Amino acid sequence: MTPRPRPNVVQYVGYVMGRPLPAEMKEWVRNDLVGPGAAVRYVARFVVPVALVLLLFLLIPGPIWIPLAMMALLIIPLIYFAIALMNIYRRHRLAQHGLDPALVGERARARNESVRADYERRHGRG
């Protein structure tokens, strides 16, 4: 069993910034975008770089609540819009790497299908 190819540091930074990875890393990309923990990784990629820059607000003199409030005014909408646009962005990244964009909702569709089958079994849909 050969290990799956993983991107090196330069490839990973390019991937995070929106560049596609080579075709032999499709399985890694698929796992990254729709595998376990994909949503957490996605949000972290948006929030961590911005949060590091926002730490500069802590250099503003005065009570600590002022820079923290300014940081919150920027980070809360960022998180909100990152989550709201998550599926759109992940579909785009899957298509960019030549994968099926419908993979994003694969788990939800399987879950809904099992619920529907259970409903039809119980209530005898004809």
Side-chain angles (χ1 to χ4, degrees):
M1 184 167 128
T2 61
R4 290 190 321 219
R6 295 179 51 92
N8 60 33
V9 175
V10 175
Q11 288 173 323
Y12 183 75
V13 170
Y15 172 75
V16 169
M17 296 177 117
R19 296 190 63 184
L21 289 174
E24 61 267 9
M25 294 184 190
K26 274 187 181 183
E27 187 58 34
W28 185 89
V29 171
R30 182 186 187 284
N31 184 54
D32 183 58
L33 294 173
V34 295
V40 174
R41 284 190 299 273
Y42 167 82
V43 173
R45 284 187 190 131
F46 273 84
V47 174
V48 170
V50 174
L52 294 175
V53 173
L54 291 181
L55 288 176
L56 294 174
F57 280 127
L58 295 175
L59 299 175
I60 295 175
I64 191 68
W65 68 269
I66 293 174
L68 290 177
M70 291 187 320
M71 290 167 63
L73 283 172
L74 295 170
I75 205 90
I76 291 171
L78 173 76
I79 294 170
Y80 175 81
F81 284 108
I83 291 170
L85 297 171
M86 178 170 36
N87 287 340
I88 295 168
Y89 180 74
R90 288 178 14 193
R91 280 187 188 101
H92 165 72
R93 294 305 305 261
L94 285 167
Q96 182 184 34
H97 287 88
L99 296 165
D100 183 13
L103 290 172
V104 170
E106 189 175 78
R107 268 195 237 150
R109 274 191 298 282
R111 184 176 53 245
N112 290 343
E113 185 59 37
S114 69
V115 169
R116 181 183 178 99
D118 185 47
Y119 175 85
E120 289 178 359
R121 181 185 50 79
R122 279 198 244 160
H123 299 289
R125 185 161 174 179

